[in-house]
């Protein structure tokens, strides 16, 4: 309990110390490019807690949620068959690695052209596409890492293929799938900002672009602060859900002799 308290205190103390240092430095530096923290917080409260929460924050969160959900479902659905089939992996992996290495800004114009819009569909598809790969690759590795004895035993008892996947393959690969999902969630925030920055009329990324182009530095820093907070809070929520979902796995590891 004491170690947990110390860990939480350290987690809070570090960002607080950085913010205090920011305020003290900007108060004496008088730089037009780095407003005081107090000025940024006033702008943050005015923009994101009241006037533009519904028009910009909510659409951004919806895009993150939809894109992330599509990526998770597609990554697991494609990754399990590829993990189970060596021949399917030999065919698919060059294509996966090629698309995974593609820089997101290079495909942003293509996504706009193919989907004939800069609306929600284009942004959700863009987020989902790039969030797919961490889930997909972790699913493949998780399935490949399963002890073959488990699947062979289930097959010898006549368990249908779908039941083998549901009862053995998916639970055994779930810890690694969760690791890929966590990486994808942080990537979803990045892709949301990128898609809104270059092709949007709403959202946090759009506000960041407008603030930069009009040299409104306090709103720009307030948008950057919001993006960081969104990433941090989404990660906290995911970790809390992961602990509940994988509680059985931690208990199994603790009970397993080393």
């Amino acid at each position: 309990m004491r170690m947990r308290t110390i860990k939480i205190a350290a987690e809070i103390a570090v960002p607080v110390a950085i913010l205090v240092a920011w305020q003290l430095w900007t108060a004496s530096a008088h730089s037009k490019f780095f407003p005081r923290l107090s000025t940024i917080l006033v702008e943050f409260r005015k923009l994101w807690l009241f006037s533009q929460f519904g028009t910009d924050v909510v659409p951004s969160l919806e895009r993150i949620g939809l894109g992330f959900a599509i990526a998770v479902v597609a990554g697991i659905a494609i990754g399990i068959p590829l993990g189970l089939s060596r021949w399917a992996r030999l065919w698919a992996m060059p294509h996966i690695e090629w698309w995974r290495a593609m820089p997101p800004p290079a495909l942003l114009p293509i996504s706009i052209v193919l989907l004939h819009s800069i609306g929600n569909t284009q942004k959700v598809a863009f987020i989902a596409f790039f969030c797919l790969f961490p889930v997909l690759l972790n699913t493949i590795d998780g399935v490949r890492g399963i002890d073959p004895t488990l699947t062979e035993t289930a097959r010898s008892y006549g368990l249908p293929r779908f039941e083998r996947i549901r009862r053995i393959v998916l639970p055994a690969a779930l810890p690694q799938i969760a690791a890929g999902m966590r990486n994808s969630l942080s990537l979803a925030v990045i892709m949301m900002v990128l898609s809104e920055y270059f092709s949007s009329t709403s959202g946090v990324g759009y506000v960041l672009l407008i603030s930069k182009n009009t040299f409104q530095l306090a709103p720009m820093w307030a948008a950057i602060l919001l993006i960081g907070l969104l990433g941090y809070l989404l990660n906290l929520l995911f970790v809390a859900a992961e602990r509940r979902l994988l509680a059985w796995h931690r208990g199994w590891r603790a009970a397993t002799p080393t």
Side-chain angles (χ1 to χ4, degrees):
M1 182 65 182
R2 183 181 177 184
M3 286 300 297
R4 180 175 176 80
T5 304
I6 293 173
K7 181 180 177 182
I8 294 174
E11 188 173 349
I12 295 172
V14 171
V16 168
I18 293 173
L19 293 177
V20 170
W22 177 284
Q23 175 67 16
L24 294 175
W25 177 74
T26 52
S28 58
H30 302 291
S31 171
K32 63 179 181 180
F33 299 108
F34 298 96
R36 295 185 182 186
L37 177 63
S38 55
T39 303
I40 296 172
L41 291 178
V42 169
E43 198 68 35
F44 182 92
R45 181 181 63 84
K46 183 175 72 174
L47 286 178
W48 305 123
L49 300 184
F50 295 100
S51 64
Q52 293 180 225
F53 183 85
T55 56
D56 290 304
V57 179
V58 171
S60 293
L61 290 174
E62 289 176 348
R63 290 160 188 160
I64 290 173
L66 285 172
F68 176 70
I70 293 170
V72 169
V73 172
I76 295 174
I78 299 171
I80 289 177
L82 292 181
L84 292 172
S85 171
R86 177 175 175 271
W87 290 107
R89 286 196 305 275
L90 289 174
W91 176 84
M93 288 309 296
H95 304 279
I96 293 172
E97 293 297 338
W98 193 85
W99 286 107
R100 186 173 73 93
M102 189 68 63
L107 293 184
L108 187 57
I110 296 175
S111 69
I112 296 172
V113 171
L114 291 178
L115 296 172
H116 306 289
S117 75
I118 58 171
N120 266 355
T121 301
Q122 178 263 332
K123 291 171 187 58
V124 170
F126 185 77
I127 293 169
F129 180 80
F130 284 99
C131 290
L132 167 70
F133 297 105
V135 180
L136 175 60
L137 293 175
N138 275 266
T139 301
I140 294 172
D141 287 344
V143 172
R144 290 185 64 191
I146 298 173
D147 186 353
T149 306
L150 293 175
T151 53
E152 290 300 326
T153 302
R155 186 181 290 109
S156 66
Y157 277 98
L159 200 65
R161 184 179 180 84
F162 177 78
E163 287 298 310
R164 292 200 303 269
I165 292 173
R166 187 172 71 89
R167 295 178 179 273
I168 297 174
V169 174
L170 186 57
L174 197 55
Q176 195 146 346
I177 293 173
M181 290 171 61
R182 189 173 180 181
N183 288 333
S184 285
L185 185 58
S186 61
L187 193 58
V189 177
I190 298 171
M191 293 301 106
M192 175 273 292
V193 175
L194 183 62
S195 64
E196 292 178 351
Y197 193 87
F198 288 102
S199 61
S200 185
T201 56
S202 66
V204 180
Y206 174 73
V207 173
L208 182 63
L209 172 68
I210 296 301
S211 301
K212 185 265 295 182
N213 287 346
T214 55
F215 297 97
Q216 300 179 65
L217 297 180
M220 183 188 76
W221 281 107
I224 293 171
L225 178 61
L226 176 65
I227 293 166
L229 282 174
L230 285 178
Y232 181 76
L233 293 175
L234 288 173
N235 181 68
L236 279 183
L237 290 173
F238 183 84
V239 169
E242 182 187 31
R243 283 175 180 167
R244 283 184 172 273
L245 186 63
L246 297 180
W248 61 269
H249 179 68
R250 291 196 304 275
W252 175 80
R253 289 184 61 183
T256 303
T258 56

